[in-house]
């Protein structure tokens, strides 16, 4: 996966001096499940609205499959989306909900059953939506987004409110959309444990700024464990050199750095007169990576 389905350059939108997103350089490879992660209020929904053209950027550029987002829509792949939960008519059936959207989009009626079949709702298509469970409503919202057979699907908190079995079903469906239908998925979430089970790539957003992005496996490996004397001074020294570091235990640091940087870090500490007793790579969970990157994790 080398080509970018989504690429932004310096993308910014400010509501105020302290609210918005700034200088986002996103790269979402075609065929990826890209999880856009951050706490509530980080700017995830603002970013999605910018990608969908629902907000105008203060500055920056958005490219979809290499074409500017403001270009003729026929020049870019159709984008399906589900933002802030699906908008459904509870007094209508699932099929009738899709029929209305298909009519508005000018899509053939044959796509309705295709979409219902893809999300596993064909047998429940003629039941009233008010009889649907929350998980079924989420899947119906996905079916609405699939009308038009998009190549790019943008989902805002798709697992929000689901119980564990429902979350597992949603993850399985997302994998199927990529594997069987060749889609690219861009999904926002604050549920790190959930998306870690399905994402191929992640972007970490904090206070409107992108902290890190890349392949999930590579980001999880971006850790060094350093046993040294005077860990507080070592952490301050590494911070000056651009490496986030946190005291994990007495005499132990966890450092945000690739294994290839181990020799440089070792030399930096030793030159400063700090004894290094052990240094090696470690594999952290996405939650621990995010905590260290945002400076919200101290000692163990």
């Amino acid at each position: 996966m080398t080509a970018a389905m989504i690429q932004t350059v310096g993308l910014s939108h400010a509501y105020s001096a302290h609210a918005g997103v700034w200088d986002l350089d996103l790269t979402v490879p075609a065929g990826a499940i890209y999880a856009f992660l951050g706490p509530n209020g980080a700017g995830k929904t603002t970013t999605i609205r910018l990608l969908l053209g629902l907000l105008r950027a203060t500055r920056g550029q958005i490219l979809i499959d290499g074409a500017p987002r403001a270009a003729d829509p026929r020049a870019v792949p159709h984008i399906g989306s589900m933002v802030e939960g699906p908008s459904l008519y509870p007094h209508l059936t699932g099929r009738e909900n899709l029929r209305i959207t298909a009519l508005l989009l000018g899509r053939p009626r044959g796509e309705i059953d295709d979409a219902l079949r893809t999300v596993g709702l064909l047998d429940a298509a003629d039941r009233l939506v008010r009889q649907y469970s929350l998980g079924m409503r989420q899947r119906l919202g996905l079916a609405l987004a699939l009308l038009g057979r998009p190549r790019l699907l943008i989902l805002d908190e798709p697992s929000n409110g689901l119980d564990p079995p429902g979350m597992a079903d949603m993850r399985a469906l997302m994998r199927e959309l990529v594997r069987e239908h060749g889609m690219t998925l861009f999904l926002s979430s604050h549920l790190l444990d959930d998306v870690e089970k399905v994402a191929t790539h992640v972007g970490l957003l904090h206070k409107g700024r992108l902290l890190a992005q890349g392949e999930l496996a590579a980001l999880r490996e971006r850790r060094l464990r350093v046993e040294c004397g005077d860990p507080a001074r070592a952490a301050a020294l590494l911070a000056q050199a651009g490496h986030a570091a946190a005291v994990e235990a007495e005499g132990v640091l966890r450092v945000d750095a690739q294994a290839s940087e181990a020799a440089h870090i070792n030399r930096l500490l030793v030159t400063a007169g700090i004894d290094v007793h052990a240094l090696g790579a470690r594999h952290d969970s996405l939650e621990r990576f995010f905590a260290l990157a945002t400076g919200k994790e101290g000692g163990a």
Side-chain angles (χ1 to χ4, degrees), residues 70-84:
D72 186 337
R74 292 171 297 182
V76 298
H78 177 72
I79 302 173
S81 65
M82 184 172 70
V83 180
E84 296 184 335

Side-chain angles (χ1 to χ4, degrees), residues 209-288:
R209 297 190 181 275
L210 189 66
L211 297 183
Q213 72 173 336
E215 291 188 55
L216 175 58
L219 285 179
R220 290 182 61 192
E221 292 175 0
R222 189 181 170 86
R223 284 291 180 278
L224 292 176
R225 185 179 187 274
V226 182
E227 296 181 26
C228 63
D230 200 349
R233 178 168 166 251
L237 184 65
L238 291 172
Q240 291 176 1
H243 299 292
V247 178
E248 183 177 59
E250 186 176 353
V252 179
L253 287 178
R254 190 166 64 257
V255 184
D256 178 14
Q258 300 283 5
S260 60
E261 299 175 90
H264 165 70
I265 288 173
N266 181 68
R267 187 164 52 250
L268 182 67
L269 296 178
V270 171
T271 301
I274 299 173
D275 294 333
V276 176
H277 309 300
L279 193 158
R282 64 170 295 158
H283 300 267
D284 274 346
S285 69
L286 189 55
E287 184 175 4
R288 294 189 74 177

Side-chain angles (χ1 to χ4, degrees), residues 24-184:
L24 300 185
D25 294 333
L26 299 174
T27 300
V28 179
I33 300 178
Y34 185 106
F36 194 47
L37 307 175
N40 291 329
K44 302 186 301 296
T45 298
T46 294
T47 303
I48 283 180
R49 288 175 174 170
L50 289 168
L51 294 176
L52 293 174
L54 302 176
L55 282 178
R56 185 183 297 274
T58 306
R59 64 177 183 275
Q61 187 178 25
I62 300 172
L63 302 176
I64 304 293
D65 203 21
R69 182 66 182 88
D72 186 337
R74 292 171 297 182
V76 298
H78 177 72
I79 302 173
S81 65
M82 184 172 70
V83 180
E84 296 184 335
S87 297
L88 304 171
Y89 298 101
H91 61 287
L92 300 178
T93 67
R95 190 188 306 277
E96 288 168 340
N97 271 269
L98 264 68
R99 190 172 295 157
I100 291 171
T101 300
L103 182 63
L104 292 173
L105 294 176
R107 306 305 305 178
R109 294 183 67 170
E111 287 188 12
I112 295 174
D113 278 5
D114 288 344
L116 288 166
R117 187 178 297 107
T118 297
V119 301
L121 283 180
L122 194 57
D123 290 343
D126 296 314
R127 288 170 51 188
L128 296 179
V129 168
R130 65 168 170 250
Q131 299 172 351
Y132 281 17
S133 67
L134 179 58
M136 294 172 69
R137 293 184 185 214
Q138 288 290 88
R139 282 188 281 154
L140 185 61
L142 267 181
L144 290 168
L146 292 174
L147 291 174
R149 295 172 178 164
R151 290 175 54 195
L152 171 62
L153 196 59
I154 296 179
L155 308 174
D156 188 16
E157 302 280 2
S159 296
N160 196 29
L162 298 182
D163 58 15
M167 294 167 72
D169 288 345
M170 183 63 69
R171 292 194 299 268
L173 178 54
M174 288 190 285
R175 293 189 192 99
E176 179 185 344
L177 292 174
V178 172
R179 183 180 62 250
E180 303 295 335
H181 301 274
M183 295 184 187
T184 301

